[in-house]
Amino acid sequence: MPRPVRPSWRKIWLQLHLWLGLTIGAVAALLGVTGAALVVKEPWLRLELGAMARPVDPAAAPLPPDLQVQAAQAIATGPRRLLSVTAPGIGPMPVATVLVLLTEPAGDGGPRFLVATFDPARGDLLGIRPFEDLAFAQVLDLHRALAGGPIGAGLVAVVGVVLCLSLATGACLWWPRRPDGGRRPGAWRRRLLPSLAGPWHRQIRVLHVTAGIWLLLPLAVVAVTGTLLARPDLIGGARRGLPPAAAAPPVPDDACVAVPDAATAVRLGLAASQSGGFLGVMAAGPGWMVTTTTGRLMVDPGCGTVKAMPHGPDLHGVMNALHGRLMLGWPGQVVAFLAGLALLVFYVTGLVIWLRRRR
């Protein structure tokens, strides 16, 4: 009786690669396209925000940081609370103006977040808009959590893990399987730069394989960091997005000097940091966290005490820098943009290859 023929390792890898792609390919393509769009957020925000993203006189000298924050504090009246103020070009929405994030009650749907911008030289309000009304905010939510809250964020993390497996199986399929291991003259060049001659279906396959190999490393970095950003508990931090709503400051003792607002906290923080330049201030529970070029400081609103934050590594910031720019500046931004679009290309070309083999 003949023995059953066992499938080779290559066939096992091929089936695994195929079903991984068919399972998460569409979602990965969606995350790739939205991620590529978010990579170019600077020109996107300048276009969408219009005059809100442009100072009145770009050549004018900016106001002192505490006066910039004081102007932002003036619109945080009634139930509206100030969340953060960031210097021009800094923060989650890099624009040339002072960026302010606020929150206000919005009925049963929870708090509503607002985005406001101020002219850095004159302190004039340039505009205020609900954050969720921005197309940028909707694409960001789609990319981070598939617009599904914590459940969607968990699904994004799963897609990141599966994408890593798909990249690994694809690399195994590409690796030379001949006994010589590709040591013949020109073998590696032909594998890395194959000819596009031949019928269209061969060109599709060459595009699928070659693009995957050339973008293997950046795609792996994007997949791993995307998984960690979707599950920040894995790197020891809470999920970051908009800062938490500010709590009411405690009533100070008679011996304490009260800090009534963020502008005062900025003055105390900058005085304590000495030579540090202002980057931003954010509500942190009942207090304020002032970020300067030399570090971060917590200001207690009850007694006005200033404490330096630990200088440990900001793993969340490192993951963000790797995910969006590969920590390589604008060249890394270009590669990350191409890697995002490549996920759509891989899904379409892989689907074409699979459908043609089924015929």
Side-chain angles (χ1 to χ4, degrees):
M1 180 177 180
R3 294 181 179 181
V5 179
R6 294 182 179 181
S8 66
W9 279 109
R10 179 176 176 80
K11 289 183 178 180
I12 295 175
W13 285 126
L14 183 60
Q15 289 298 313
L16 183 58
H17 185 74
L18 168 65
W19 288 108
L20 288 175
L22 292 177
T23 303
I24 59 97
V27 180
L30 175 62
L31 294 177
V33 172
T34 53
L38 292 173
V39 167
V40 292
K41 62 182 178 180
E42 288 90 347
W44 181 358
L45 286 170
R46 285 197 298 267
L47 179 64
E48 185 170 10
L49 292 175
M52 285 181 61
R54 295 188 297 270
V56 175
D57 185 0
L63 292 170
D66 59 323
L67 295 184
Q68 295 180 11
V69 177
Q70 184 175 326
Q73 188 79 54
I75 64 173
T77 58
R80 186 180 291 174
R81 293 295 184 93
L82 181 68
L83 296 180
S84 68
V85 182
T86 51
I90 307 296
M93 299 171 62
V95 290
T97 55
V98 178
L99 179 69
V100 181
L101 297 177
L102 309 104
T103 184
E104 65 180 10
D108 297 336
R112 180 174 68 163
F113 295 97
L114 305 173
V115 177
T117 59
F118 285 82
D119 182 81
R122 299 170 55 177
D124 296 337
L125 176 64
L126 299 178
I128 182 168
R129 294 181 61 179
F131 179 72
E132 58 268 22
D133 288 354
L134 298 175
F136 172 81
Q138 297 170 14
V139 173
L140 180 64
D141 188 34
L142 190 62
H143 182 72
R144 284 182 171 178
L146 298 172
I151 296 177
L155 180 58
V156 169
V158 171
V159 171
V161 173
V162 176
L163 178 58
C164 291
L165 294 175
S166 180
L167 292 172
T169 55
C172 290
L173 291 170
W174 174 85
W175 196 262
R177 51 177 174 158
R178 292 193 176 96
D180 63 1
R183 289 191 294 269
R184 290 185 301 172
W188 285 106
R189 182 186 63 79
R190 287 191 296 271
R191 296 194 70 82
L192 292 171
L193 296 171
S195 171
L196 289 175
W200 66 270
H201 53 83
R202 182 186 180 278
Q203 296 174 1
I204 290 291
R205 185 177 182 279
V206 168
L207 175 62
H208 184 89
V209 174
T210 307
I213 288 300
W214 279 99
L215 292 173
L216 179 66
L217 181 58
L219 278 170
V221 171
V222 168
V224 171
T225 54
T227 301
L228 295 176
L229 289 172
R231 286 291 307 274
D233 53 297
L234 299 176
I235 54 176
R239 180 174 178 82
R240 291 192 183 181
L242 292 173
V251 177
D253 299 331
D254 293 338
C256 295
V257 178
V259 179
D261 55 24
T264 306
V266 169
R267 283 194 289 271
L268 292 172
L270 290 178
S273 68
Q274 298 178 350
S275 59
F278 176 72
L279 297 179
V281 59
M282 182 177 68
W288 298 96
M289 184 175 69
V290 180
T291 304
T292 69
T293 53
T294 57
R296 296 179 296 174
L297 305 105
M298 286 295 302
V299 180
D300 181 355
C303 289
T305 55
V306 181
K307 296 181 180 179
M309 298 286 287
H311 290 283
D314 182 8
L315 294 180
H316 194 281
V318 172
M319 292 299 105
N320 263 322
L322 280 170
H323 191 69
R325 296 174 181 260
L326 306 175
M327 297 186 74
L328 295 175
W330 70 263
Q333 193 173 8
V334 172
V335 175
F337 177 81
L338 294 176
L341 294 183
L343 290 177
L344 175 61
V345 173
F346 294 150
Y347 177 64
V348 174
T349 54
L351 197 60
V352 170
I353 294 171
W354 176 64
L355 291 175
R356 188 176 181 279
R357 285 182 175 178
R358 286 176 58 88
R359 293 175 56 183

